[in-house]
Amino acid sequence: MESSNNDNGGSSSGSGERHTPFITSLIAGGLAGTTVDLALFPIDTLKTRLQSPHGFIASGGFRGVYRGVMAAAAGSSPGAALFFGTYETMKPIIAKQQQQLRGSDDSYSPALTHMIAASIGEAAACLVRVPTEVVKSKMQTNATGSSTLTSTLQLVLSEKGDTRAFASNIFGGLYRGYGITLMREVPFAFIQFPLYERFKVEWGEIQGYETSPIQAATCGSISGGIAAGLTTPLDVIKTRLMLGADKNGVQYKGASDVVQRLMHEEGSKIFLSGIQPRVMWISIGGFVFFGAYESYRSRLMCLGE
């Protein structure tokens, strides 16, 4: 849809996109990321155990659902901060580029703008998010040598020479699954953020004034749930790659190997394993996350005035 959309809250640039200072979005995103991860960590643990090749019960069942929470807390704040800092910065830049290409100051695609900005934001956030996910997944599934955060980190760093991990000679297995994580997060962002931004605009137009943080939280919850369900198969592949091996200890060679072996050994239904807790976690998480982000952002913007 072609538009010169003026988003809720804050000033807007000449592109029509809401302008949020980089530091403001960085701080608000960091606080929101920590809030949602700590609040909803048990649901994420159950989802990961459902996707584990060892099975739900063998991976811990309902016991110790906060295992790995420190790893999540360590990565959630900088990861979310990097995402929103990048996303909010890129939105007006991308919109302005579209306007220049079209030779018009009031014509651009908000959906395309949000897709591209969110994708760039995800690429930046994954630099922090992937190592966090690798360590967290090991701890959540009670992998051998993962009794503490320190021992798990040492275990992952010792996995040198792993061809599935980026720069494994330096970082060990910390960046195992970086590619598939991007393959999951970018489609997720492509779905969630245009919906989220559009829902806010439509709601604001219906009621005649800008959406409140609670209303924005509802938009985030609905858009997140839709995106979560559609990208569950990618999440299953990502989880298996990060765990590194199947229940017999046979190493996965890459995303295509995971897909082939899962289809052959466990059937197509396995690609939807964990969909219920994933959709529930991200829907609730979307409400908490976007509500917290918009609230923190509004307060920080007021302090800066």
Side-chain angles (χ1 to χ4, degrees), residues 18-137:
R18 180 179 77 176
H19 172 68
T20 303
F22 178 74
I23 295 299
T24 298
S25 55
L26 202 70
I27 296 172
L31 291 172
T34 301
T35 299
V36 70
D37 272 8
L38 293 180
L40 302 176
F41 189 81
I43 301 175
D44 181 50
T45 298
L46 298 179
K47 182 270 298 181
T48 301
R49 290 175 178 176
L50 282 168
Q51 294 176 350
S52 171
H54 301 286
F56 180 71
I57 299 300
S59 296
F62 291 98
R63 303 186 310 275
V65 293
Y66 275 98
R67 277 181 59 86
V69 69
M70 293 307 296
S76 60
S77 179
L82 269 175
F83 173 81
F84 270 109
T86 305
Y87 176 67
E88 295 282 13
T89 299
M90 293 305 299
K91 279 197 300 183
I93 293 173
I94 294 167
K96 190 171 183 179
Q97 287 293 320
Q98 290 184 65
Q99 291 170 342
Q100 290 176 348
L101 288 172
R102 299 181 185 199
S104 172
D105 288 338
D106 58 0
S107 176
Y108 77 103
S109 169
L112 182 60
T113 298
H114 302 147
M115 285 179 181
I116 296 173
S119 299
I120 297 172
E122 289 293 355
C126 280
L127 293 173
V128 173
R129 189 178 298 153
V130 170
T132 301
E133 286 278 333
V134 170
V135 173
K136 182 186 72 173
S137 295

Side-chain angles (χ1 to χ4, degrees), residues 3 7 17 47 50 75 187 214 274 286:
S3 170
D7 242 357
E17 284 296 325
K47 182 270 298 181
L50 282 168
I214 292 296

Side-chain angles (χ1 to χ4, degrees), residues 223-243:
S223 61
I226 294 170
L230 293 175
T231 57
T232 296
L234 294 174
D235 187 54
V236 172
I237 298 169
K238 183 273 304 180
T239 298
R240 292 298 181 93
L241 273 176
M242 286 185 167
L243 291 174

Side-chain angles (χ1 to χ4, degrees), residues 1 11 15 76 92 102 104 107-108 115 126 128 142 149 154 161 174 179 186 239 263 275-276 291 298:
M1 181 177 293
S11 61
S15 67
S76 60
R102 299 181 185 199
S104 172
S107 176
Y108 77 103
M115 285 179 181
C126 280
V128 173
N142 294 291
L149 175 58
Q154 290 174 343
L174 274 180
V186 169
T239 298
M263 286 292 293
I275 188 171
Q276 295 92 342
S298 295

